[in-house]
mmCIF file of all heavy atoms in Angstrom:
data_model
loop_
_atom_site.group_PDB
_atom_site.id
_atom_site.type_symbol
_atom_site.label_atom_id
_atom_site.label_comp_id
_atom_site.label_asym_id
_atom_site.label_seq_id
_atom_site.Cartn_x
_atom_site.Cartn_y
_atom_site.Cartn_z
ATOM 1 N N MET A 1 9.842 -9.389 -0.533
ATOM 2 C CA MET A 1 9.249 -8.374 0.444
ATOM 3 C C MET A 1 7.762 -8.345 0.160
ATOM 4 O O MET A 1 7.259 -8.427 -0.990
ATOM 5 C CB MET A 1 9.868 -7.037 0.275
ATOM 6 C CG MET A 1 11.398 -7.004 0.478
ATOM 7 S SD MET A 1 11.902 -7.434 2.172
ATOM 8 C CE MET A 1 11.639 -5.790 2.955
ATOM 9 N N LYS A 2 7.018 -8.112 1.252
ATOM 10 C CA LYS A 2 5.517 -8.123 1.141
ATOM 11 C C LYS A 2 5.018 -6.835 1.775
ATOM 12 O O LYS A 2 5.457 -6.442 2.829
ATOM 13 C CB LYS A 2 5.055 -9.361 1.949
ATOM 14 C CG LYS A 2 3.572 -9.435 2.110
ATOM 15 C CD LYS A 2 3.274 -10.653 2.963
ATOM 16 C CE LYS A 2 1.787 -10.757 3.382
ATOM 17 N NZ LYS A 2 0.884 -10.965 2.418
ATOM 18 N N ALA A 3 3.976 -6.263 1.156
ATOM 19 C CA ALA A 3 3.388 -5.082 1.699
ATOM 20 C C ALA A 3 2.040 -5.458 2.418
ATOM 21 O O ALA A 3 1.361 -6.406 1.989
ATOM 22 C CB ALA A 3 3.038 -4.032 0.648
ATOM 23 N N THR A 4 1.836 -4.874 3.614
ATOM 24 C CA THR A 4 0.545 -5.099 4.265
ATOM 25 C C THR A 4 -0.041 -3.728 4.695
ATOM 26 O O THR A 4 0.690 -2.800 4.898
ATOM 27 C CB THR A 4 0.735 -5.969 5.520
ATOM 28 O OG1 THR A 4 1.732 -5.453 6.363
ATOM 29 C CG2 THR A 4 1.162 -7.402 5.163
ATOM 30 N N ILE A 5 -1.319 -3.709 4.769
ATOM 31 C CA ILE A 5 -2.041 -2.466 5.129
ATOM 32 C C ILE A 5 -2.927 -2.844 6.405
ATOM 33 O O ILE A 5 -3.674 -3.806 6.331
ATOM 34 C CB ILE A 5 -2.945 -1.967 4.090
ATOM 35 C CG1 ILE A 5 -2.140 -1.672 2.853
ATOM 36 C CG2 ILE A 5 -3.703 -0.745 4.568
ATOM 37 C CD1 ILE A 5 -2.930 -1.345 1.609
ATOM 38 N N ASP A 6 -2.779 -2.017 7.427
ATOM 39 C CA ASP A 6 -3.706 -2.098 8.559
ATOM 40 C C ASP A 6 -4.978 -1.443 8.126
ATOM 41 O O ASP A 6 -5.129 -0.134 8.327
ATOM 42 C CB ASP A 6 -3.109 -1.555 9.814
ATOM 43 C CG ASP A 6 -4.150 -1.470 10.956
ATOM 44 O OD1 ASP A 6 -5.247 -2.011 10.846
ATOM 45 O OD2 ASP A 6 -3.816 -0.885 12.031
ATOM 46 N N ARG A 7 -5.913 -2.097 7.557
ATOM 47 C CA ARG A 7 -7.108 -1.442 6.965
ATOM 48 C C ARG A 7 -7.960 -0.787 7.933
ATOM 49 O O ARG A 7 -8.722 0.145 7.608
ATOM 50 C CB ARG A 7 -7.849 -2.413 6.107
ATOM 51 C CG ARG A 7 -7.133 -2.744 4.731
ATOM 52 C CD ARG A 7 -7.734 -3.933 4.059
ATOM 53 N NE ARG A 7 -9.175 -3.876 3.933
ATOM 54 C CZ ARG A 7 -9.878 -3.429 2.889
ATOM 55 N NH1 ARG A 7 -9.212 -2.903 1.839
ATOM 56 N NH2 ARG A 7 -11.168 -3.496 2.868
ATOM 57 N N GLU A 8 -7.902 -1.161 9.223
ATOM 58 C CA GLU A 8 -8.686 -0.499 10.257
ATOM 59 C C GLU A 8 -8.301 0.943 10.329
ATOM 60 O O GLU A 8 -9.135 1.774 10.709
ATOM 61 C CB GLU A 8 -8.388 -1.159 11.613
ATOM 62 C CG GLU A 8 -8.639 -2.640 11.682
ATOM 63 C CD GLU A 8 -10.004 -2.904 12.327
ATOM 64 O OE1 GLU A 8 -10.351 -2.249 13.272
ATOM 65 O OE2 GLU A 8 -10.722 -3.800 11.790
ATOM 66 N N GLY A 9 -7.072 1.193 10.005
ATOM 67 C CA GLY A 9 -6.574 2.604 10.212
ATOM 68 C C GLY A 9 -6.567 3.429 8.948
ATOM 69 O O GLY A 9 -6.382 4.647 8.946
ATOM 70 N N CYS A 10 -6.788 2.784 7.769
ATOM 71 C CA CYS A 10 -6.687 3.510 6.552
ATOM 72 C C CYS A 10 -7.830 4.528 6.411
ATOM 73 O O CYS A 10 -8.996 4.149 6.745
ATOM 74 C CB CYS A 10 -6.838 2.483 5.377
ATOM 75 S SG CYS A 10 -7.006 3.206 3.696
ATOM 76 N N ILE A 11 -7.564 5.702 6.027
ATOM 77 C CA ILE A 11 -8.555 6.752 5.867
ATOM 78 C C ILE A 11 -8.937 7.007 4.408
ATOM 79 O O ILE A 11 -9.583 7.932 4.129
ATOM 80 C CB ILE A 11 -8.070 8.034 6.541
ATOM 81 C CG1 ILE A 11 -6.766 8.555 5.904
ATOM 82 C CG2 ILE A 11 -7.923 7.871 8.044
ATOM 83 C CD1 ILE A 11 -6.360 9.975 6.396
ATOM 84 N N GLY A 12 -8.399 6.158 3.558
ATOM 85 C CA GLY A 12 -8.800 6.154 2.122
ATOM 86 C C GLY A 12 -8.282 7.408 1.380
ATOM 87 O O GLY A 12 -8.960 7.856 0.369
ATOM 88 N N CYS A 13 -7.158 7.872 1.743
ATOM 89 C CA CYS A 13 -6.639 9.034 1.097
ATOM 90 C C CYS A 13 -6.220 8.779 -0.375
ATOM 91 O O CYS A 13 -6.244 9.685 -1.192
ATOM 92 C CB CYS A 13 -5.549 9.649 1.869
ATOM 93 S SG CYS A 13 -3.951 8.909 1.550
ATOM 94 N N GLY A 14 -5.870 7.492 -0.664
ATOM 95 C CA GLY A 14 -5.557 7.131 -2.023
ATOM 96 C C GLY A 14 -4.137 7.366 -2.487
ATOM 97 O O GLY A 14 -3.761 7.001 -3.572
ATOM 98 N N LEU A 15 -3.320 7.868 -1.577
ATOM 99 C CA LEU A 15 -1.977 8.144 -1.996
ATOM 100 C C LEU A 15 -1.152 6.981 -2.347
ATOM 101 O O LEU A 15 -0.443 6.974 -3.361
ATOM 102 C CB LEU A 15 -1.206 8.896 -0.797
ATOM 103 C CG LEU A 15 0.277 9.261 -1.084
ATOM 104 C CD1 LEU A 15 0.643 10.580 -0.460
ATOM 105 C CD2 LEU A 15 1.168 8.173 -0.539
ATOM 106 N N CYS A 16 -1.366 5.844 -1.677
ATOM 107 C CA CYS A 16 -0.605 4.662 -1.990
ATOM 108 C C CYS A 16 -0.922 4.107 -3.386
ATOM 109 O O CYS A 16 -0.025 3.690 -4.169
ATOM 110 C CB CYS A 16 -0.867 3.571 -0.934
ATOM 111 S SG CYS A 16 -2.576 3.160 -0.688
ATOM 112 N N ALA A 17 -2.189 4.125 -3.762
ATOM 113 C CA ALA A 17 -2.638 3.634 -5.092
ATOM 114 C C ALA A 17 -2.137 4.598 -6.146
ATOM 115 O O ALA A 17 -1.847 4.088 -7.257
ATOM 116 C CB ALA A 17 -4.129 3.478 -5.122
ATOM 117 N N THR A 18 -2.042 5.849 -5.900
ATOM 118 C CA THR A 18 -1.522 6.763 -6.846
ATOM 119 C C THR A 18 -0.041 6.671 -7.011
ATOM 120 O O THR A 18 0.518 6.628 -8.109
ATOM 121 C CB THR A 18 -1.833 8.227 -6.394
ATOM 122 O OG1 THR A 18 -3.234 8.303 -6.382
ATOM 123 C CG2 THR A 18 -1.311 9.226 -7.419
ATOM 124 N N THR A 19 0.676 6.493 -5.866
ATOM 125 C CA THR A 19 2.172 6.376 -5.842
ATOM 126 C C THR A 19 2.675 5.056 -6.407
ATOM 127 O O THR A 19 3.665 5.068 -7.103
ATOM 128 C CB THR A 19 2.687 6.657 -4.406
ATOM 129 O OG1 THR A 19 2.151 7.833 -3.933
ATOM 130 C CG2 THR A 19 4.141 6.581 -4.345
ATOM 131 N N CYS A 20 1.933 4.013 -6.082
ATOM 132 C CA CYS A 20 2.460 2.677 -6.491
ATOM 133 C C CYS A 20 1.279 1.794 -6.925
ATOM 134 O O CYS A 20 0.865 0.896 -6.168
ATOM 135 C CB CYS A 20 3.179 2.020 -5.268
ATOM 136 S SG CYS A 20 3.945 0.504 -5.712
ATOM 137 N N PRO A 21 0.706 2.063 -8.042
ATOM 138 C CA PRO A 21 -0.497 1.372 -8.480
ATOM 139 C C PRO A 21 -0.200 -0.159 -8.795
ATOM 140 O O PRO A 21 -1.167 -0.901 -8.916
ATOM 141 C CB PRO A 21 -0.933 2.120 -9.772
ATOM 142 C CG PRO A 21 0.295 2.770 -10.244
ATOM 143 C CD PRO A 21 1.070 3.189 -8.983
ATOM 144 N N ALA A 22 1.057 -0.504 -8.884
ATOM 145 C CA ALA A 22 1.410 -1.944 -9.073
ATOM 146 C C ALA A 22 1.116 -2.729 -7.893
ATOM 147 O O ALA A 22 0.880 -3.990 -7.983
ATOM 148 C CB ALA A 22 2.839 -2.096 -9.517
ATOM 149 N N VAL A 23 1.093 -2.152 -6.722
ATOM 150 C CA VAL A 23 0.962 -2.875 -5.470
ATOM 151 C C VAL A 23 -0.281 -2.479 -4.691
ATOM 152 O O VAL A 23 -0.908 -3.384 -4.003
ATOM 153 C CB VAL A 23 2.215 -2.621 -4.551
ATOM 154 C CG1 VAL A 23 2.050 -3.240 -3.160
ATOM 155 C CG2 VAL A 23 3.445 -3.118 -5.198
ATOM 156 N N PHE A 24 -0.835 -1.248 -4.839
ATOM 157 C CA PHE A 24 -1.919 -0.774 -4.029
ATOM 158 C C PHE A 24 -3.147 -0.445 -4.949
ATOM 159 O O PHE A 24 -2.886 0.172 -5.952
ATOM 160 C CB PHE A 24 -1.538 0.315 -3.100
ATOM 161 C CG PHE A 24 -0.413 0.026 -2.257
ATOM 162 C CD1 PHE A 24 0.886 0.524 -2.523
ATOM 163 C CD2 PHE A 24 -0.511 -0.711 -1.023
ATOM 164 C CE1 PHE A 24 1.958 0.250 -1.711
ATOM 165 C CE2 PHE A 24 0.525 -0.972 -0.290
ATOM 166 C CZ PHE A 24 1.801 -0.437 -0.529
ATOM 167 N N GLU A 25 -4.301 -0.733 -4.503
ATOM 168 C CA GLU A 25 -5.460 -0.363 -5.226
ATOM 169 C C GLU A 25 -6.548 -0.041 -4.178
ATOM 170 O O GLU A 25 -6.607 -0.509 -3.093
ATOM 171 C CB GLU A 25 -5.912 -1.642 -6.039
ATOM 172 C CG GLU A 25 -7.082 -1.361 -7.035
ATOM 173 C CD GLU A 25 -7.234 -2.640 -7.798
ATOM 174 O OE1 GLU A 25 -6.570 -2.909 -8.803
ATOM 175 O OE2 GLU A 25 -8.171 -3.443 -7.408
ATOM 176 N N MET A 26 -7.451 0.904 -4.597
ATOM 177 C CA MET A 26 -8.571 1.229 -3.726
ATOM 178 C C MET A 26 -9.739 0.247 -4.069
ATOM 179 O O MET A 26 -10.053 -0.060 -5.178
ATOM 180 C CB MET A 26 -9.091 2.686 -4.081
ATOM 181 C CG MET A 26 -7.983 3.720 -3.831
ATOM 182 S SD MET A 26 -7.071 3.659 -2.286
ATOM 183 C CE MET A 26 -8.351 4.163 -1.171
ATOM 184 N N ASP A 27 -10.377 -0.269 -2.982
ATOM 185 C CA ASP A 27 -11.415 -1.232 -3.166
ATOM 186 C C ASP A 27 -12.773 -0.545 -3.129
ATOM 187 O O ASP A 27 -12.902 0.711 -3.005
ATOM 188 C CB ASP A 27 -11.349 -2.348 -2.148
ATOM 189 C CG ASP A 27 -11.623 -1.831 -0.768
ATOM 190 O OD1 ASP A 27 -12.125 -0.716 -0.520
ATOM 191 O OD2 ASP A 27 -11.446 -2.713 0.178
ATOM 192 N N ASP A 28 -13.832 -1.326 -3.186
ATOM 193 C CA ASP A 28 -15.231 -0.849 -3.245
ATOM 194 C C ASP A 28 -15.542 -0.056 -1.999
ATOM 195 O O ASP A 28 -16.526 0.791 -2.004
ATOM 196 C CB ASP A 28 -16.189 -1.874 -3.502
ATOM 197 C CG ASP A 28 -16.028 -2.508 -4.879
ATOM 198 O OD1 ASP A 28 -15.409 -1.904 -5.710
ATOM 199 O OD2 ASP A 28 -16.568 -3.675 -5.117
ATOM 200 N N GLU A 29 -14.919 -0.315 -0.895
ATOM 201 C CA GLU A 29 -15.203 0.319 0.406
ATOM 202 C C GLU A 29 -14.461 1.611 0.518
ATOM 203 O O GLU A 29 -14.530 2.317 1.542
ATOM 204 C CB GLU A 29 -14.834 -0.587 1.556
ATOM 205 C CG GLU A 29 -15.655 -1.850 1.637
ATOM 206 C CD GLU A 29 -15.138 -2.740 2.734
ATOM 207 O OE1 GLU A 29 -15.007 -2.324 3.856
ATOM 208 O OE2 GLU A 29 -14.638 -3.891 2.434
ATOM 209 N N GLY A 30 -13.610 1.924 -0.455
ATOM 210 C CA GLY A 30 -12.791 3.182 -0.427
ATOM 211 C C GLY A 30 -11.583 3.028 0.405
ATOM 212 O O GLY A 30 -10.951 3.998 0.769
ATOM 213 N N LEU A 31 -11.197 1.760 0.663
ATOM 214 C CA LEU A 31 -9.948 1.492 1.423
ATOM 215 C C LEU A 31 -8.898 0.866 0.513
ATOM 216 O O LEU A 31 -9.227 0.211 -0.469
ATOM 217 C CB LEU A 31 -10.242 0.535 2.624
ATOM 218 C CG LEU A 31 -11.318 1.053 3.645
ATOM 219 C CD1 LEU A 31 -11.552 0.058 4.745
ATOM 220 C CD2 LEU A 31 -10.859 2.437 4.269
ATOM 221 N N ALA A 32 -7.664 1.017 0.902
ATOM 222 C CA ALA A 32 -6.559 0.488 0.053
ATOM 223 C C ALA A 32 -6.458 -1.077 0.343
ATOM 224 O O ALA A 32 -6.731 -1.518 1.460
ATOM 225 C CB ALA A 32 -5.307 1.179 0.448
ATOM 226 N N LYS A 33 -6.065 -1.789 -0.666
ATOM 227 C CA LYS A 33 -5.763 -3.174 -0.549
ATOM 228 C C LYS A 33 -4.480 -3.435 -1.347
ATOM 229 O O LYS A 33 -4.127 -2.724 -2.273
ATOM 230 C CB LYS A 33 -6.878 -4.061 -1.031
ATOM 231 C CG LYS A 33 -7.207 -3.898 -2.511
ATOM 232 C CD LYS A 33 -8.288 -4.898 -2.950
ATOM 233 C CE LYS A 33 -8.561 -4.819 -4.419
ATOM 234 N NZ LYS A 33 -9.641 -5.723 -4.816
ATOM 235 N N VAL A 34 -3.810 -4.551 -0.966
ATOM 236 C CA VAL A 34 -2.598 -4.968 -1.632
ATOM 237 C C VAL A 34 -2.928 -5.855 -2.746
ATOM 238 O O VAL A 34 -3.749 -6.855 -2.567
ATOM 239 C CB VAL A 34 -1.612 -5.644 -0.598
ATOM 240 C CG1 VAL A 34 -0.453 -6.179 -1.329
ATOM 241 C CG2 VAL A 34 -1.184 -4.691 0.433
ATOM 242 N N ILE A 35 -2.430 -5.621 -3.940
ATOM 243 C CA ILE A 35 -2.788 -6.455 -5.122
ATOM 244 C C ILE A 35 -1.579 -7.220 -5.660
ATOM 245 O O ILE A 35 -1.719 -7.952 -6.670
ATOM 246 C CB ILE A 35 -3.520 -5.584 -6.196
ATOM 247 C CG1 ILE A 35 -2.507 -4.495 -6.659
ATOM 248 C CG2 ILE A 35 -4.808 -5.085 -5.729
ATOM 249 C CD1 ILE A 35 -3.015 -3.737 -7.923
ATOM 250 N N ALA A 36 -0.434 -7.080 -5.078
ATOM 251 C CA ALA A 36 0.704 -7.768 -5.554
ATOM 252 C C ALA A 36 1.596 -8.266 -4.333
ATOM 253 O O ALA A 36 1.980 -7.538 -3.498
ATOM 254 C CB ALA A 36 1.677 -6.857 -6.353
ATOM 255 N N ASP A 37 1.724 -9.567 -4.340
ATOM 256 C CA ASP A 37 2.492 -10.206 -3.242
ATOM 257 C C ASP A 37 3.272 -11.398 -3.770
ATOM 258 O O ASP A 37 2.726 -12.335 -4.298
ATOM 259 C CB ASP A 37 1.533 -10.709 -2.148
ATOM 260 C CG ASP A 37 2.241 -11.413 -1.027
ATOM 261 O OD1 ASP A 37 3.444 -11.267 -0.896
ATOM 262 O OD2 ASP A 37 1.517 -12.193 -0.343
ATOM 263 N N PRO A 38 4.559 -11.285 -3.805
ATOM 264 C CA PRO A 38 5.425 -10.260 -3.210
ATOM 265 C C PRO A 38 5.390 -9.009 -4.073
ATOM 266 O O PRO A 38 4.958 -8.965 -5.149
ATOM 267 C CB PRO A 38 6.826 -10.898 -3.217
ATOM 268 C CG PRO A 38 6.789 -11.835 -4.358
ATOM 269 C CD PRO A 38 5.452 -12.457 -4.427
ATOM 270 N N ILE A 39 6.058 -7.982 -3.494
ATOM 271 C CA ILE A 39 6.212 -6.707 -4.243
ATOM 272 C C ILE A 39 7.124 -6.936 -5.428
ATOM 273 O O ILE A 39 8.336 -7.431 -5.211
ATOM 274 C CB ILE A 39 6.840 -5.618 -3.276
ATOM 275 C CG1 ILE A 39 5.898 -5.447 -2.080
ATOM 276 C CG2 ILE A 39 7.007 -4.334 -4.135
ATOM 277 C CD1 ILE A 39 6.584 -4.530 -1.036
ATOM 278 N N PRO A 40 6.719 -6.609 -6.659
ATOM 279 C CA PRO A 40 7.584 -6.739 -7.844
ATOM 280 C C PRO A 40 8.941 -5.889 -7.617
ATOM 281 O O PRO A 40 8.796 -4.813 -7.057
ATOM 282 C CB PRO A 40 6.752 -6.246 -8.972
ATOM 283 C CG PRO A 40 5.378 -6.304 -8.499
ATOM 284 C CD PRO A 40 5.402 -6.096 -7.032
ATOM 285 N N ASP A 41 10.040 -6.390 -8.090
ATOM 286 C CA ASP A 41 11.269 -5.642 -7.908
ATOM 287 C C ASP A 41 11.138 -4.271 -8.428
ATOM 288 O O ASP A 41 11.645 -3.298 -7.768
ATOM 289 C CB ASP A 41 12.404 -6.360 -8.549
ATOM 290 C CG ASP A 41 12.823 -7.611 -7.804
ATOM 291 O OD1 ASP A 41 12.421 -7.773 -6.662
ATOM 292 O OD2 ASP A 41 13.566 -8.518 -8.489
ATOM 293 N N ASP A 42 10.535 -4.058 -9.573
ATOM 294 C CA ASP A 42 10.486 -2.796 -10.204
ATOM 295 C C ASP A 42 9.524 -1.833 -9.575
ATOM 296 O O ASP A 42 9.409 -0.676 -9.944
ATOM 297 C CB ASP A 42 10.272 -2.888 -11.711
ATOM 298 C CG ASP A 42 8.951 -3.524 -12.051
ATOM 299 O OD1 ASP A 42 8.177 -3.889 -11.146
ATOM 300 O OD2 ASP A 42 8.647 -3.697 -13.213
ATOM 301 N N ALA A 43 8.807 -2.323 -8.553
ATOM 302 C CA ALA A 43 7.830 -1.435 -7.881
ATOM 303 C C ALA A 43 8.191 -1.215 -6.477
ATOM 304 O O ALA A 43 7.515 -0.470 -5.719
ATOM 305 C CB ALA A 43 6.404 -2.078 -7.874
ATOM 306 N N PHE A 44 9.416 -1.783 -6.047
ATOM 307 C CA PHE A 44 9.733 -1.708 -4.647
ATOM 308 C C PHE A 44 10.023 -0.264 -4.153
ATOM 309 O O PHE A 44 9.543 0.115 -3.072
ATOM 310 C CB PHE A 44 10.943 -2.509 -4.388
ATOM 311 C CG PHE A 44 11.326 -2.697 -2.989
ATOM 312 C CD1 PHE A 44 10.473 -3.448 -2.162
ATOM 313 C CD2 PHE A 44 12.451 -2.177 -2.394
ATOM 314 C CE1 PHE A 44 10.737 -3.580 -0.736
ATOM 315 C CE2 PHE A 44 12.764 -2.348 -1.044
ATOM 316 C CZ PHE A 44 11.875 -3.039 -0.282
ATOM 317 N N ALA A 45 10.659 0.506 -4.966
ATOM 318 C CA ALA A 45 10.972 1.923 -4.574
ATOM 319 C C ALA A 45 9.686 2.734 -4.397
ATOM 320 O O ALA A 45 9.522 3.455 -3.370
ATOM 321 C CB ALA A 45 11.956 2.648 -5.497
ATOM 322 N N ALA A 46 8.715 2.497 -5.261
ATOM 323 C CA ALA A 46 7.440 3.161 -5.232
ATOM 324 C C ALA A 46 6.663 2.712 -4.029
ATOM 325 O O ALA A 46 6.001 3.502 -3.377
ATOM 326 C CB ALA A 46 6.683 2.979 -6.515
ATOM 327 N N ALA A 47 6.761 1.408 -3.713
ATOM 328 C CA ALA A 47 6.037 0.882 -2.551
ATOM 329 C C ALA A 47 6.616 1.506 -1.251
ATOM 330 O O ALA A 47 5.798 1.864 -0.336
ATOM 331 C CB ALA A 47 6.147 -0.631 -2.517
ATOM 332 N N GLN A 48 7.911 1.622 -1.192
ATOM 333 C CA GLN A 48 8.456 2.256 0.008
ATOM 334 C C GLN A 48 8.041 3.774 0.115
ATOM 335 O O GLN A 48 7.760 4.250 1.202
ATOM 336 C CB GLN A 48 10.041 2.199 -0.069
ATOM 337 C CG GLN A 48 10.516 0.858 0.089
ATOM 338 C CD GLN A 48 12.063 0.866 0.075
ATOM 339 O OE1 GLN A 48 12.673 1.284 -0.894
ATOM 340 N NE2 GLN A 48 12.701 0.389 1.156
ATOM 341 N N GLU A 49 7.957 4.415 -1.028
ATOM 342 C CA GLU A 49 7.509 5.790 -1.079
ATOM 343 C C GLU A 49 6.067 5.900 -0.596
ATOM 344 O O GLU A 49 5.674 6.772 0.200
ATOM 345 C CB GLU A 49 7.639 6.294 -2.503
ATOM 346 C CG GLU A 49 7.399 7.778 -2.611
ATOM 347 C CD GLU A 49 7.513 8.335 -4.066
ATOM 348 O OE1 GLU A 49 8.268 7.742 -4.858
ATOM 349 O OE2 GLU A 49 6.853 9.266 -4.423
ATOM 350 N N ALA A 50 5.198 4.961 -1.004
ATOM 351 C CA ALA A 50 3.817 4.903 -0.544
ATOM 352 C C ALA A 50 3.715 4.647 0.952
ATOM 353 O O ALA A 50 3.048 5.378 1.667
ATOM 354 C CB ALA A 50 3.071 3.812 -1.302
ATOM 355 N N ARG A 51 4.556 3.727 1.446
ATOM 356 C CA ARG A 51 4.595 3.526 2.943
ATOM 357 C C ARG A 51 5.019 4.780 3.629
ATOM 358 O O ARG A 51 4.390 5.126 4.608
ATOM 359 C CB ARG A 51 5.574 2.393 3.194
ATOM 360 C CG ARG A 51 5.812 2.153 4.724
ATOM 361 C CD ARG A 51 7.014 1.390 5.004
ATOM 362 N NE ARG A 51 8.247 2.146 4.586
ATOM 363 C CZ ARG A 51 9.435 1.679 4.461
ATOM 364 N NH1 ARG A 51 9.637 0.409 4.691
ATOM 365 N NH2 ARG A 51 10.429 2.432 3.998
ATOM 366 N N ASP A 52 6.045 5.421 3.223
ATOM 367 C CA ASP A 52 6.553 6.615 3.872
ATOM 368 C C ASP A 52 5.534 7.803 3.780
ATOM 369 O O ASP A 52 5.501 8.648 4.650
ATOM 370 C CB ASP A 52 7.932 7.011 3.236
ATOM 371 C CG ASP A 52 8.994 5.959 3.558
ATOM 372 O OD1 ASP A 52 8.751 5.087 4.409
ATOM 373 O OD2 ASP A 52 10.036 6.063 2.910
ATOM 374 N N GLY A 53 4.772 7.752 2.689
ATOM 375 C CA GLY A 53 3.848 8.924 2.483
ATOM 376 C C GLY A 53 2.450 8.721 3.104
ATOM 377 O O GLY A 53 1.750 9.716 3.126
ATOM 378 N N CYS A 54 2.085 7.537 3.502
ATOM 379 C CA CYS A 54 0.771 7.317 3.998
ATOM 380 C C CYS A 54 0.540 8.200 5.255
ATOM 381 O O CYS A 54 1.339 8.101 6.192
ATOM 382 C CB CYS A 54 0.583 5.882 4.439
ATOM 383 S SG CYS A 54 -0.954 5.484 5.221
ATOM 384 N N PRO A 55 -0.465 9.088 5.239
ATOM 385 C CA PRO A 55 -0.634 10.006 6.337
ATOM 386 C C PRO A 55 -0.903 9.362 7.665
ATOM 387 O O PRO A 55 -0.731 10.074 8.749
ATOM 388 C CB PRO A 55 -1.785 10.857 5.855
ATOM 389 C CG PRO A 55 -2.517 10.020 4.908
ATOM 390 C CD PRO A 55 -1.479 9.138 4.187
ATOM 391 N N VAL A 56 -1.387 8.178 7.692
ATOM 392 C CA VAL A 56 -1.680 7.488 8.968
ATOM 393 C C VAL A 56 -0.752 6.336 9.263
ATOM 394 O O VAL A 56 -0.981 5.560 10.182
ATOM 395 C CB VAL A 56 -3.135 7.124 9.042
ATOM 396 C CG1 VAL A 56 -4.055 8.353 9.276
ATOM 397 C CG2 VAL A 56 -3.564 6.348 7.826
ATOM 398 N N SER A 57 0.282 6.158 8.366
ATOM 399 C CA SER A 57 1.315 5.127 8.649
ATOM 400 C C SER A 57 0.778 3.762 8.900
ATOM 401 O O SER A 57 1.231 3.073 9.797
ATOM 402 C CB SER A 57 2.212 5.583 9.803
ATOM 403 O OG SER A 57 2.815 6.828 9.583
ATOM 404 N N VAL A 58 -0.117 3.337 8.039
ATOM 405 C CA VAL A 58 -0.674 1.975 8.214
ATOM 406 C C VAL A 58 -0.102 0.960 7.226
ATOM 407 O O VAL A 58 -0.567 -0.190 7.205
ATOM 408 C CB VAL A 58 -2.240 2.051 8.080
ATOM 409 C CG1 VAL A 58 -2.800 2.806 9.240
ATOM 410 C CG2 VAL A 58 -2.745 2.528 6.779
ATOM 411 N N ILE A 59 0.832 1.368 6.387
ATOM 412 C CA ILE A 59 1.438 0.486 5.481
ATOM 413 C C ILE A 59 2.766 -0.110 6.005
ATOM 414 O O ILE A 59 3.601 0.723 6.511
ATOM 415 C CB ILE A 59 1.717 1.164 4.108
ATOM 416 C CG1 ILE A 59 0.404 1.641 3.519
ATOM 417 C CG2 ILE A 59 2.460 0.138 3.134
ATOM 418 C CD1 ILE A 59 0.656 2.442 2.238
ATOM 419 N N SER A 60 2.962 -1.400 5.999
ATOM 420 C CA SER A 60 4.179 -2.016 6.414
ATOM 421 C C SER A 60 4.795 -2.735 5.269
ATOM 422 O O SER A 60 4.115 -3.339 4.422
ATOM 423 C CB SER A 60 3.972 -3.058 7.525
ATOM 424 O OG SER A 60 3.413 -2.344 8.627
ATOM 425 N N ILE A 61 6.060 -2.804 5.222
ATOM 426 C CA ILE A 61 6.810 -3.614 4.172
ATOM 427 C C ILE A 61 7.851 -4.458 4.940
ATOM 428 O O ILE A 61 8.681 -3.933 5.663
ATOM 429 C CB ILE A 61 7.493 -2.704 3.090
ATOM 430 C CG1 ILE A 61 6.434 -1.917 2.296
ATOM 431 C CG2 ILE A 61 8.335 -3.583 2.234
ATOM 432 C CD1 ILE A 61 7.066 -0.986 1.388
ATOM 433 N N GLU A 62 7.688 -5.763 4.744
ATOM 434 C CA GLU A 62 8.637 -6.659 5.451
ATOM 435 C C GLU A 62 8.845 -7.881 4.687
ATOM 436 O O GLU A 62 8.082 -8.265 3.758
ATOM 437 C CB GLU A 62 8.244 -6.926 6.848
ATOM 438 C CG GLU A 62 6.843 -7.481 6.943
ATOM 439 C CD GLU A 62 6.275 -7.529 8.429
ATOM 440 O OE1 GLU A 62 6.879 -6.761 9.234
ATOM 441 O OE2 GLU A 62 5.349 -8.164 8.697
HETATM 442 FE FE1 LIG B 1 -5.034 4.302 3.205
HETATM 443 FE FE2 LIG B 1 -2.629 5.251 3.663
HETATM 444 FE FE3 LIG B 1 -3.172 4.300 1.272
HETATM 445 S S1 LIG B 1 -4.557 6.040 4.351
HETATM 446 S S2 LIG B 1 -5.316 4.810 1.044
HETATM 447 S S3 LIG B 1 -3.169 3.146 3.186
HETATM 448 S S4 LIG B 1 -1.876 5.978 1.787
#
């Protein structure tokens, strides 16, 4: 499974990087980026939580 972020819509709230730091990180522009592809098995639940918690719903997992 792979996580993707529609960075055009990211508002930089940081929730994803806090919830699942194994997969998401904030970059120099203050936007989230994906740092693990595929999603490690032990981070999958947290990645789903990050997707569900993103306030602008720009994270996809497929
Ligand atoms: Fe951006 Fe959503 Fe993460 S707004 S910082 S992708 S929780």
Side-chain angles (χ1 to χ4, degrees):
M1 302 295 277
K2 173 183 168 69
T4 55
I5 301 170
D6 175 6
R7 285 167 50 93
E8 302 263 318
C10 173
I11 57 171
C13 81
L15 179 142
C16 54
T18 300
T19 304
C20 187
V23 175
F24 304 102
E25 187 175 279
M26 303 309 290
D27 70 9
D28 294 342
E29 298 173 58
L31 301 177
K33 65 178 180 180
V34 174
I35 57 168
D37 179 18
I39 299 168
D41 287 345
D42 61 1
F44 189 67
Q48 288 182 303
E49 190 180 329
R51 175 199 61 196
D52 294 345
C54 174
V56 287
S57 302
V58 293
I59 299 174
S60 300
I61 295 176
E62 54 193 17

